[in-house]
Amino acid sequence: MQTHDSPQLKAEARDFNFFYGQAQALKKINMPIYDKKVTALIGPSGCGKSTYLRSFNRMHDLYPGNRYEGEIRFYPDNTNLLSPEVDPIEVRMRVGMVFQKPNPFPKTIYENVAYGLRVRGENNKRVLDEKVENALRGAAIWEEVKDRLQDLAPNLSGGQQQRLCIARALATDPELLLFDEPTSALDPIATGAIEELVHELKKRVTILIVTHNMQQAARVSDYTAYMYLGEMVEFGKTDEIFIKPKDKRTEDYITGRMG
Amino acid sequence: MNQSQHVSSQFDEDLGRLRTHVLQMGGLVETQISAAIDAYTTGEVASVKTIVETDRKVNELEKAIDDDCAHIIAQRQPAASDLRLVLGISKIVTDLERAGDEAKKIAKGVRRIYEAGHLPSQYGVGIRHLAEATLTMVRQALDAFARLDGTQAVSVIRADADVDVEFKSIIRQLITHMMEDPRTITTSIEIISISRAIERIGDHAKNISEQVIFVAEGRDIRHNKEAIK
């Protein structure tokens, strides 16, 4: 799938199957994730896009009976994220996640961002201060919270909470950020702020985003994958997918021709 | 082209209406062109007035269709084939409107020639043939649009090359006329601009066909001779 003009790979799914017990949720997914690009996953509810996204930080390990087959290669070190020898905690240090609904910890703004660093054993106040500030700046929320870092995070507005969650994910310097419908609970202004942020973030981190909002996929992503019934139907440059998709199923979905 | 229906039947209706309006507008422009050709051969100067009146309707339709395109973009955010259809239509109506303008120019030129007491058909043999060829191009381009038929659109684009050759030969003929008899210069110049207008109609039919190919197949073949070979 990689051609001469393709950017570098950050990750790559190879013949990836996923099972919830007996039920196969993902079928033979092959797909590149390009470095420092935004890749959008679109598809109707139940198509497996969130399942796929969550596989990247081994979230399915939390439930017994879930089973991975195949590989998700992670570069530049070429490790298989799904390998039982790879520690999921290590994976989650390198792969951050932001959820649909903002989920700050019931702690202060500062502690929300410092949390991941403390888990890693970082307790030096000067280092923490610096990393917390950088993460908050990276998530474009520093100016709004710098004078109230000791306030409780749940008191922030929804859009601010979501950016705080992004800051929390950024604090450990992840290489890949997973977004699972990050703006579906936000108003258009807060959504715009997150989209703008995604655009800024891709200068330093690779992003994989699940979205139900087709225009959002068209606006923020460089590549788009259309999934249906657990299969990856079409992967391509976002412009091509939205102007001239190759597969009729993709066409039907993005033009709103499916029930 | 995608024939299955949208989840929103309202959206299907909006797009259907848009296409019908384009074909309506195309029909009006066709009558303008064919009336202009008739006026040229028969000297039926009265029809000039009708052509000018039709032009007003064509202009109104152009504005209404553009407005509908803007509405659909704002309300539906069309993608893929829907997006191409709306974009294509918004360009097609520009070309249709300009083709109508050219028909109006032909009609007015014909009127000036007759009013000066001349018969245009005495000059520029082959003009009628040229005009009919371009009228056919317009008809076929609209037909290709109605059926979103890329193959037919390609044949219209090919036909434009023949029209260009014919146009050049008419110009050469008229130049010879003018050199032989300078008294024919005024009328000949009038006829040159008429042939120019006819040739432009062919160009508009070609542009419309290029848009049809974009809508139907997603290929942008403008300024690319290789693409239609």
Side-chain angles (χ1 to χ4, degrees):
Chain A
M1 188 144 342
Q2 201 175 12
T3 56
H4 292 295
D5 57 348
S6 293
Q8 278 201 315
L9 279 175
K10 182 67 215 171
E12 185 179 27
R14 291 187 193 161
D15 290 337
F16 174 44
N17 295 310
F18 181 78
F19 301 82
Y20 287 112
Q22 293 300 306
Q24 185 167 4
L26 295 175
K27 295 166 192 162
K28 224 179 170 193
I29 308 276
N30 283 289
M31 180 181 143
I33 311 284
Y34 293 118
D35 192 32
K36 301 208 172 57
K37 300 283 176 199
V38 179
T39 304
L41 298 173
I42 60 169
S45 299
C47 72
K49 54 194 189 301
S50 289
T51 302
Y52 180 49
L53 188 81
R54 285 160 193 213
S55 305
F56 281 84
N57 73 347
R58 298 269 296 268
M59 216 185 294
H60 303 298
D61 289 25
L62 301 171
Y63 304 94
N66 292 347
R67 187 158 56 87
Y68 307 99
E69 266 180 23
E71 300 180 331
I72 294 180
R73 288 274 154 197
F74 204 59
Y75 300 103
D77 42 320
N78 195 15
T79 42
N80 175 15
L81 290 182
L82 305 177
S83 160
E85 288 99 66
V86 173
D87 179 1
I89 304 297
E90 272 310 306
V91 171
R92 289 173 205 148
M93 287 290 179
R94 299 179 67 185
V95 182
M97 176 124 186
V98 176
F99 295 85
Q100 188 170 357
K101 286 201 182 128
N103 54 352
F105 302 136
K107 292 170 176 286
T108 64
I109 293 168
Y110 184 95
E111 282 306 320
N112 261 275
V113 184
Y115 193 84
L117 299 164
R118 288 201 200 277
V119 169
R120 268 187 159 182
E122 184 59 71
N123 279 313
N124 182 320
K125 171 99 172 51
R126 207 175 45 81
V127 175
L128 285 177
D129 282 356
E130 190 189 319
K131 292 210 167 184
V132 167
E133 178 176 340
N134 282 343
L136 289 167
R137 281 189 189 280
I141 191 180
W142 173 251
E143 290 303 322
E144 291 158 66
V145 300
K146 63 179 178 191
D147 300 322
R148 46 191 284 218
L149 293 173
Q150 297 310 320
D151 283 7
L152 283 178
N155 293 342
L156 294 169
S157 75
Q160 287 173 328
Q161 286 184 20
Q162 193 62 311
R163 276 178 287 145
L164 178 68
C165 293
I166 294 173
R168 187 176 63 191
L170 284 176
T172 56
D173 279 324
E175 296 156 57
L176 174 64
L177 264 188
L178 309 172
F179 285 86
D180 195 353
E181 294 190 56
T183 61
S184 60
L186 304 180
D187 72 19
I189 302 292
T191 299
I194 301 281
E195 288 179 3
E196 181 65 23
L197 180 56
V198 166
H199 200 72
E200 275 302 306
L201 285 175
K202 74 171 179 184
K203 289 175 189 157
R204 47 192 272 214
V205 58
T206 305
I207 292 169
L208 191 56
I209 179 170
V210 164
T211 176
H212 268 139
N213 179 333
M214 225 72 65
Q215 275 66 48
Q216 179 167 71
R219 282 193 298 266
V220 304
S221 71
D222 302 296
Y223 294 88
T224 297
Y226 171 62
M227 294 178 66
Y228 184 57
L229 299 175
E231 286 177 50
M232 216 206 46
V233 173
E234 186 167 351
F235 171 87
K237 287 191 173 151
T238 298
D239 285 351
E240 286 165 16
I241 297 271
F242 281 90
I243 294 173
K244 197 189 172 238
K246 292 189 182 75
D247 195 290
K248 179 157 189 309
R249 289 169 293 175
T250 315
E251 161 100 29
D252 282 351
Y253 182 68
I254 63 171
T255 57
R257 284 183 165 87
M258 202 154 60
Chain B
M1 190 62 187
N2 204 329
Q3 296 301 332
S4 42
Q5 295 192 327
H6 287 95
V7 176
S8 159
S9 59
Q10 186 64 48
F11 190 13
D12 279 330
E13 281 171 33
D14 289 349
L15 289 177
R17 197 168 41 243
L18 195 58
R19 290 175 69 166
T20 312
H21 282 163
V22 174
L23 293 172
Q24 245 172 29
M25 183 178 170
L28 287 178
V29 172
E30 267 184 50
T31 57
Q32 280 184 297
I33 300 168
S34 95
I37 299 172
D38 285 348
Y40 182 85
T41 7
T42 62
E44 198 58 64
V45 185
S47 67
V48 175
K49 210 173 146 219
T50 329
I51 294 171
V52 174
E53 274 161 16
T54 311
D55 202 50
R56 267 187 223 117
K57 286 188 210 156
V58 169
N59 293 348
E60 286 308 311
L61 265 172
E62 185 198 17
K63 287 203 284 184
I65 291 169
D66 263 341
D67 202 39
D68 285 347
C69 287
H71 268 100
I72 288 178
I73 290 171
Q75 291 172 348
R76 308 281 177 184
Q77 293 96 42
S81 59
D82 297 335
L83 176 63
R84 302 200 303 268
L85 179 69
V86 174
L87 287 179
I89 282 177
S90 138
K91 293 199 168 165
I92 285 171
V93 293
T94 307
D95 275 296
L96 276 179
E97 191 273 333
R98 288 186 185 162
D101 284 347
E102 300 296 343
K104 198 168 72 179
K105 276 187 209 160
I106 298 171
K108 286 182 172 171
V110 168
R111 186 167 61 190
R112 279 193 295 273
I113 296 171
Y114 276 103
E115 278 170 2
H118 298 287
L119 282 177
S121 42
Q122 283 176 337
Y123 298 79
V125 184
I127 285 199
R128 192 188 164 91
H129 183 255
L130 181 72
E132 272 161 3
T134 57
L135 179 59
T136 307
M137 282 174 70
V138 171
R139 268 189 196 136
Q140 286 179 345
L142 286 166
D143 207 33
F145 171 74
R147 292 185 283 112
L148 292 178
D149 179 347
T151 316
Q152 175 153 25
V154 168
S155 68
V156 175
I157 295 169
R158 292 210 178 103
D160 189 52
D162 300 337
V163 165
D164 290 349
V165 171
E166 223 170 311
F167 167 68
K168 278 179 193 141
S169 106
I170 288 173
I171 298 296
R172 270 199 302 276
Q173 215 183 89
L174 285 165
I175 290 170
T176 319
H177 255 296
M178 288 189 280
M179 287 192 300
E180 280 169 0
D181 184 358
R183 284 172 303 173
T184 67
I185 286 178
T186 316
T187 314
S188 291
I189 286 177
E190 208 62 86
I191 291 186
I192 285 175
S193 47
I194 287 174
S195 351
R196 180 82 208 158
I198 295 170
E199 188 266 341
R200 288 295 298 152
I201 290 173
D203 290 344
H204 292 304
K206 177 180 161 222
N207 294 348
I208 292 168
S209 304
E210 288 172 345
Q211 291 305 322
V212 170
I213 291 169
F214 174 68
V215 175
E217 301 169 12
R219 286 194 297 148
D220 185 352
I221 60 148
R222 292 173 301 171
H223 316 296
N224 183 1
K225 284 193 180 117
E226 295 303 310
I228 56 155
K229 272 180 184 162

